[in-house]
């Protein structure tokens, strides 16, 4: 079975989406799509639980303490409760704080915008496991319908696709949980458009505000749905209108909306990260690992590492050589390669450690990493990585990774995602709690009231 298709004429894109969202039912979602939604839910919750422990999210806690909102929904990591919009804000921020959350080539990071929104409202409402799955699927689909036509061009001109499009995914997921009417859903999307923005200057010079882009999108999208339910209206031409999102962010160029209405369930094409790094460097790290597995070498044995990337990935992941905070470390191909060679891994703890970031040996080795823009090789994906290691003894080895592990063309298995979950919550939860929680997610649809998911993670 495929996702329902929409007519190419007549209603606006907001109205088309609203019709699809309002009519979506659990039984219409294929089994493999439901499974994908459950696994992405598990992945988000594990990463967010770890993210809640990181220092860069402390400002989010300070904001919530200052606001002192109504205790409607749980904040992950023992953070108490807040109003649904602000619980979603905190949990979305925590989920994005590790640079380990899922991604999609057509919209950026959907999970950290959609899932915390859905969970916060589901807790407030006492929604079932089936309701949660449906709302997650609806949110991912809407984020790609909304953002897909302009995602690449926003990257080219410096707008953060997840921040621009996240409000729509959050609004759609919220609207589905709230049971809004078709017209109200269209208005929720239209209202959300007023908060559709956010630059990517962080990938040039760092800045932890990037972590908060997810939280801001969740809060804005959730509030847009609540406002629509209360009767507020928005411009239903928010996407294709003269001053609509697609025209503004595409520099008034033409966009292809219809290719996203091909009957696909877009959630299945989500990229699950297996390194806590910007997605553009994952294939290169895979390829470097393959070289080192065959030719174990230390820093003194390597003269240079040349990394071939698609042209747009060089400024988005390879521009920073010497990071000064965790965010810039996670957007530094050079730093990650140095960690892989010298420490044998690219781990959250190392990326977060200022002592390691300032280590003279790591910084010296980072200078040996040379990113270059090359054409996408035949059969490769946009997120390919080609690594050439030049050893000091004169030997050279080149490895091309066509698609990174976790990419839809090199997908993470269900077991991969469970292993990742166990890894990110290690030391935070005991083994029995971890395995019980995995089983809860695997059997989510059997729960008539699944509102306590976040509370189970402490």
């Amino acid at each position: 079975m495929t996702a329902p298709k929409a007519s190419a004429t007549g209603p606006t894109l907001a109205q088309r989406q609203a019709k699809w969202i309002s009519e979506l039912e659990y039984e219409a979602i294929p089994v493999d799509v439901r499974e994908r939604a459950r696994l992405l839910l598990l992945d988000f919750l594990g990463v967010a639980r770890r993210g809640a422990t990181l220092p860069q999210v402390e400002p989010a806690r300070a904001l919530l303490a200052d606001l002192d909102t109504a205790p409607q929904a749980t904040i992950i990591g023992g953070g108490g409760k807040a109003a649904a919009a602000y619980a979603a804000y905190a949990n979305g921020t925590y989920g994005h704080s590790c640079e380990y959350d899922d991604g999609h080539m057509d919209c950026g990071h959907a999970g950290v915008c959609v899932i915390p929104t859905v969970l916060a409202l589901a807790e407030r409402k006492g929604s079932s496991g089936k309701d949660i799955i449906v709302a997650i699927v609806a949110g991912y689909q809407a984020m790609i319908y909304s953002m897909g036509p302009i995602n690449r061009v926003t990257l080219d001109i410096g707008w953060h696709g997840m921040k621009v499009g996240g409000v729509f995914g959050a609004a759609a997921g919220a609207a589905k949980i709230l049971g809004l009417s078709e017209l109200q859903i269209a208005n929720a999307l239209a209202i959300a458009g007023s908060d559709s923005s956010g630059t990517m200057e962080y990938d040039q010079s760092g800045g932890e505000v990037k972590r908060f882009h997810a939280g801001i999108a969740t809060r804005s999208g959730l509030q847009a749905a609540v406002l629509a339910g209360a009767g507020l209206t928005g411009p239903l031409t928010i996407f294709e209108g003269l001053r609509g999102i697609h025209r503004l962010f595409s520099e008034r160029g033409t966009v292809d909306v219809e290719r996203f209405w091909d009957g696909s369930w877009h959630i299945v094409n989500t990229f699950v990260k297996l390194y806590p790094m910007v997605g553009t460097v994952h294939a290169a790290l895979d390829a470097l690992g393959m070289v080192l597995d065959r030719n174990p070498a230390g820093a003194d044995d390597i003269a240079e590492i040349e990394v071939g990337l698609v042209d747009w990935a060089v400024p988005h992941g390879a521009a920073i050589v010497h990071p000064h905070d965790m965010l810039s470390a996670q957007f530094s191909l050079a730093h990650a390669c140095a960690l892989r060679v010298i420490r044998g891994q690219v781990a959250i703890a190392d990326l977060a450690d200022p002592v390691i970031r300032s280590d003279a040996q790591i910084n010296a080795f980072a200078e040996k990493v040379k990113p270059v823009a090359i054409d996408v090789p035949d059969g490769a994906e946009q997120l390919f990585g080609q690594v050439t290691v030049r050893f000091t003894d004169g030997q050279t080895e080149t490895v091309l990774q066509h698609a990174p592990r976790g990419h839809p063309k090199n997908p993470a298995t269900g077991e991969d995602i469970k292993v990742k979950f166990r890894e990110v919550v290690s030391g935070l939860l005991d083994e029995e709690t971890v395995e019980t929680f995995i089983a809860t997610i695997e059997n989510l649809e059997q729960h008539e009231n699944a509102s306590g998911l976040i509370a189970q993670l402490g």
Side-chain angles (χ1 to χ4, degrees), residues 2-6 13 16-21 24 29-30 33 37 40 104 106-107 110-111 114 133-149 165 168-170 172-173 189 239 257-270:
T2 60
K5 296 185 180 182
L13 181 56
R16 291 170 66 177
Q17 289 192 57
K19 178 176 174 59
W20 188 88
I21 293 165
L24 181 64
I29 301 174
V33 179
L40 293 175
H104 198 290
D106 293 319
C107 71
V114 174
I133 293 297
V134 173
I136 288 172
V137 172
Y140 275 73
Q141 195 84 358
M143 191 163 165
I144 293 158
Y145 282 155
S146 302
M147 194 63 207
F168 302 113
L189 295 169
F239 297 106
V257 170
E258 298 310 316
R259 75 183 181 92
F260 299 97
W261 291 81
D262 63 354
S264 296
W265 295 91
H266 294 301
I267 193 172
V268 301
N269 290 320
T270 304

Side-chain angles (χ1 to χ4, degrees), residues 190-261:
I191 295 164
S194 289
D195 284 304
S196 179
S197 65
T199 78
M200 290 196 303
E201 184 58 24
Y202 59 80
D203 71 3
Q204 302 302 298
S205 58
E208 294 292 347
V209 69
K210 191 259 189 183
R211 319 290 192 180
F212 287 63
H213 282 191
I216 295 168
T218 64
R219 183 202 66 210
S220 299
L222 190 156
Q223 289 176 335
V226 172
L227 289 167
L232 185 64
T233 60
L236 298 184
T237 53
I238 188 61
F239 297 106
E240 62 281 295
L242 179 64
R243 292 180 172 85
I245 297 299
H246 287 174
R247 288 179 62 83
L248 292 175
F249 287 100
S250 66
E251 296 184 319
R252 300 186 180 177
T254 58
V255 297
D256 184 1
V257 170
E258 298 310 316
R259 75 183 181 92
F260 299 97
W261 291 81

Side-chain angles (χ1 to χ4, degrees), residues 5-73:
K5 296 185 180 182
S7 169
T9 60
T12 68
L13 181 56
Q15 290 170 321
R16 291 170 66 177
Q17 289 192 57
K19 178 176 174 59
W20 188 88
I21 293 165
S22 68
E23 294 178 352
L24 181 64
E25 295 180 351
Y26 177 81
E27 290 72 19
I29 301 174
V31 172
D32 65 318
V33 179
R34 299 175 199 166
E35 171 68 7
R36 190 64 171 173
R38 286 193 297 273
L39 288 169
L40 293 175
L41 173 60
L42 181 69
D43 187 54
F44 164 79
L45 288 168
V47 171
R49 181 63 183 87
R50 174 57 62 180
T53 69
L54 298 177
Q56 58 262 33
V57 303
E58 286 301 323
R61 274 191 271 274
L63 176 63
L64 266 62
D66 183 71
L67 293 172
D68 192 22
T69 63
Q72 297 177 334

Side-chain angles (χ1 to χ4, degrees), residues 149-173:
I150 58 169
N151 194 53
R152 173 59 195 279
V153 73
T154 56
L155 179 66
D156 291 343
I157 62 178
W159 291 98
H160 188 195
M162 180 204 75
K163 178 65 171 60
V164 173
V167 293
F168 302 113

Side-chain angles (χ1 to χ4, degrees), residues 166-424:
V167 293
F168 302 113
K176 193 64 179 173
I177 283 287
L178 292 172
L180 299 190
S181 70
E182 185 176 324
L183 179 58
Q184 289 171 329
I185 296 171
N187 275 305
L189 295 169
I191 295 164
S194 289
D195 284 304
S196 179
S197 65
T199 78
M200 290 196 303
E201 184 58 24
Y202 59 80
D203 71 3
Q204 302 302 298
S205 58
E208 294 292 347
V209 69
K210 191 259 189 183
R211 319 290 192 180
F212 287 63
H213 282 191
I216 295 168
T218 64
R219 183 202 66 210
S220 299
L222 190 156
Q223 289 176 335
V226 172
L227 289 167
L232 185 64
T233 60
L236 298 184
T237 53
I238 188 61
F239 297 106
E240 62 281 295
L242 179 64
R243 292 180 172 85
I245 297 299
H246 287 174
R247 288 179 62 83
L248 292 175
F249 287 100
S250 66
E251 296 184 319
R252 300 186 180 177
T254 58
V255 297
D256 184 1
V257 170
E258 298 310 316
R259 75 183 181 92
F260 299 97
W261 291 81
D262 63 354
S264 296
W265 295 91
H266 294 301
I267 193 172
V268 301
N269 290 320
T270 304
F271 172 22
V272 175
K273 286 188 173 184
L274 299 178
Y275 299 101
M277 295 287 300
V278 62
T280 51
V281 307
H282 285 223
L285 292 173
D286 285 345
L288 176 59
M290 293 177 206
V291 173
L292 295 176
D293 286 345
R294 288 196 290 266
N295 300 281
D300 294 339
D301 301 317
I302 296 174
E304 182 181 80
I305 300 175
E306 181 181 291
V307 182
L309 302 168
V310 68
D311 54 3
W312 58 264
V314 174
H316 189 64
I320 298 169
V321 177
H322 302 299
H324 60 83
D325 57 15
M326 186 174 177
L327 188 283
S328 55
Q330 292 175 303
F331 275 75
S332 175
L333 170 69
H335 186 68
C337 289
L339 290 176
R340 178 62 181 83
V341 171
I342 294 169
R343 297 184 64 83
Q345 62 182 1
V346 182
I348 290 174
D350 291 348
L351 291 161
D353 191 337
V355 174
I356 291 175
R357 286 197 297 271
S358 62
D359 182 87
Q361 185 185 24
I362 288 174
N363 279 288
F365 189 88
E367 298 281 355
K368 298 181 180 182
V369 180
K370 309 298 181 186
V372 295
I374 64 175
D375 292 337
V376 179
D378 290 344
E381 297 299 310
Q382 290 274 314
L383 291 181
F384 77 91
Q386 180 173 286
V387 169
T388 298
V389 179
R390 298 185 175 95
F391 297 94
T392 53
D393 65 2
Q395 294 186 64
T396 297
E397 183 170 355
T398 298
V399 171
L400 168 64
Q401 176 76 323
H402 287 76
R405 293 180 302 122
H407 187 278
K409 294 298 178 65
N410 188 8
T413 65
E415 189 54 37
D416 289 333
I417 295 171
K418 293 172 190 175
V419 167
K420 176 183 171 182
F421 179 83
R422 295 182 183 107
E423 175 239 319
V424 294

Side-chain angles (χ1 to χ4, degrees), residues 71-82 87-88 91 119-120 123 451-452 454-455 458:
Q72 297 177 334
T74 303
I75 299 166
I76 202 165
K81 290 191 173 187
N91 293 332
L119 292 180
E123 180 174 353
S451 63
I454 288 178

